[in-house]
Amino acid sequence: MTALAPRPSYARFEAYEPGRRPVRIDLSDNTNQAGVPPSVRRLLEGAASSLVTRYPSVYGADLKRALATFAGVPEDAIVTGCGSDDVLDSAVRAFTEPGDRLAYPWPTFSMLPHLALMNGLEPAPVPLGDLDALAGARARVTYLCTPNNPTGGATPRADVLALAARTEGLVIVDEAYVDYGGESVVRDAAAAERVLVTRTMSKAFGLAGLRVGWGVGAPSLVRAVEKSRGPYKVGGLAERAAVLALTEDLGWVRARVAEVLAERARALEALRAAGLAPWASDANFLFVPVRSAKAAAEAFHARGVGVRPFGPDPEAVRISIGTREQMDEVLAIARDLSEELGGRP
Ligand SMILES: *Cc1c(COP(=O)(O)O)cnc(C)c1O
């Protein structure tokens, strides 16, 4: 037998591979270093077997109810998914045909070119910060991440809404890091016609391994995304954990966010004092330009810390903000490496 070929456009890209390696302190993926919310720890320690033997809810009704209260939007403006990756993929699939354009600023979430090519779309990157170019791309789908991964800056709400008004297709606003800073447009999206906001429980809520994401938009828009998504995407244990985190542990989440913001401010100062030039950040990571991203990531890794390299324009590493103890180590390493990283003496 000869091998069956996938759709021809799949020859254009490799499967997504973030390049994570085992390391003592992993600050490469922006997850919550303080662990899971206490209510979720109790759930995992208790007998939750009925959540495993039975199918979960078809479209996550309990989760939608908890999210609606959390976000201050109606339940019918919400769609859930197996991580926000799933919501993004389902939304793109629902509103495009192969050959359509997907525009996004670059650099941004590294899944974007993959998301386009997985769906047979033309990736259309524009320079970061150039909202005129983004609107001018006249794409079927326009994506904006705020605060932006990996650079950290947020786009003001007024600018996001102005962008949406100037485009014609679907506008996706990825707010994966809005728990840490920037202005959310969830309530605007619920009342708009073509805007989908995506959010995740993988970062501030500490549930990345359970895969829970959600989106907010006009009811007719999110119903189309849900149709494209299909049933049973959020597992039963994942849904219960997410509901518990949202209803019993918002205080825990907010306290951990406050710690991250304090550590972020301290790290920004310390890296600047070490001669480096980290970008201002509204998220739970810092984007630090370096001479060679690959060499810098290797040097950190050799000292037990995982950071994510980016490049070439610009060469930089993204360092997730960890606990105070983790950041003490990271900052000491950064001071030691400063010259090698390209810092001013
Ligand atoms: C981490 C991240 C996501 C999230 O993903 P999940 O699939 O919900 O884990 C989405 N967008 C951006 C920009 C991210 O950095």
Side-chain angles (χ1 to χ4, degrees):
M1 292 210 298
T2 52
L4 192 61
R7 55 162 93 174
S9 62
Y10 272 37
R12 292 176 61 186
F13 69 107
E14 300 295 325
Y16 181 73
E17 175 44 74
R20 267 174 71 205
R21 289 181 289 168
V23 65
R24 191 164 47 84
I25 300 178
D26 190 351
L27 300 182
S28 72
D29 66 2
N30 306 337
T31 47
N32 190 333
Q33 298 293 319
V36 299
S39 62
V40 177
R41 186 176 301 284
R42 289 192 294 274
L43 171 71
L44 296 174
E45 284 163 358
S49 54
S50 70
L51 295 173
V52 174
T53 52
R54 306 303 309 271
Y55 275 96
S57 65
V58 189
Y59 294 109
D62 288 352
L63 180 54
K64 283 182 185 170
R65 203 167 308 120
L67 288 168
T69 304
F70 172 65
V73 299
E75 278 169 51
D76 65 0
I78 294 178
V79 55
T80 63
C82 178
S84 55
D85 284 0
D86 183 31
V87 179
L88 290 168
D89 186 46
S90 304
V92 164
R93 189 166 53 246
F95 290 99
T96 62
E97 291 290 353
D100 284 344
R101 224 165 335 147
L102 170 54
Y104 49 85
W106 191 258
T108 194
F109 187 28
S110 55
M111 266 298 289
L112 257 287
H114 287 264
L115 186 62
L117 295 167
M118 277 158 56
N119 286 289
L121 307 179
E122 274 309 313
V126 306
L128 184 65
D130 190 345
L131 296 182
D132 290 335
L134 195 56
R138 309 188 70 78
R140 179 69 184 164
V141 182
T142 303
Y143 170 94
L144 181 72
C145 184
T146 176
N148 188 49
N149 176 7
T151 51
T155 304
R157 171 173 169 268
D159 293 357
V160 175
L161 298 180
L163 171 74
R166 290 172 64 196
T167 54
E168 272 162 22
L170 175 66
V171 176
I172 299 179
V173 185
D174 186 336
E175 295 186 352
Y177 298 98
V178 82
D179 303 291
Y180 296 99
E183 303 171 297
S184 178
V185 295
V186 272
R187 294 193 197 187
D188 305 289
E193 282 171 348
R194 294 180 289 102
V195 180
L196 178 73
V197 171
T198 58
R199 302 276 293 259
T200 181
M201 308 219 40
S202 296
K203 308 287 160 54
F205 284 82
L207 303 181
L210 289 176
R211 313 301 301 126
V212 183
W214 50 293
V216 176
S220 62
L221 185 141
V222 298
R223 286 299 75 73
V225 176
E226 198 161 72
K227 187 189 259 188
S228 162
R229 189 208 80 158
Y232 307 125
K233 289 299 177 77
V234 178
L237 196 56
E239 180 174 12
R240 180 70 63 81
V243 169
L244 284 171
L246 286 161
T247 53
E248 295 187 15
D249 272 326
L250 282 183
W252 182 91
V253 170
R254 289 184 179 131
R256 301 293 81 72
V257 166
E259 288 165 3
V260 165
L261 299 192
E263 286 304 310
R264 185 180 76 195
R266 184 169 78 100
L268 193 75
E269 278 295 299
L271 292 171
R272 283 183 178 152
L276 297 162
W279 292 18
S281 172
D282 298 298
N284 68 336
F285 51 81
L286 289 174
F287 187 72
V288 187
V290 291
R291 192 180 301 124
S292 158
K294 208 159 167 265
E298 279 306 322
F300 271 102
H301 194 268
R303 288 161 178 78
V305 175
V307 302
R308 181 88 179 258
F310 287 87
D313 198 18
E315 292 280 315
V317 290
R318 189 193 64 199
I319 306 175
S320 307
I321 303 300
T323 61
R324 176 157 199 115
E325 297 69 34
Q326 289 175 327
M327 295 313 288
D328 281 343
E329 274 204 57
V330 169
L331 297 174
I333 294 169
R335 274 189 290 274
D336 277 357
L337 289 176
S338 173
E339 215 171 305
E340 184 178 339
L341 300 179
R344 290 177 286 97

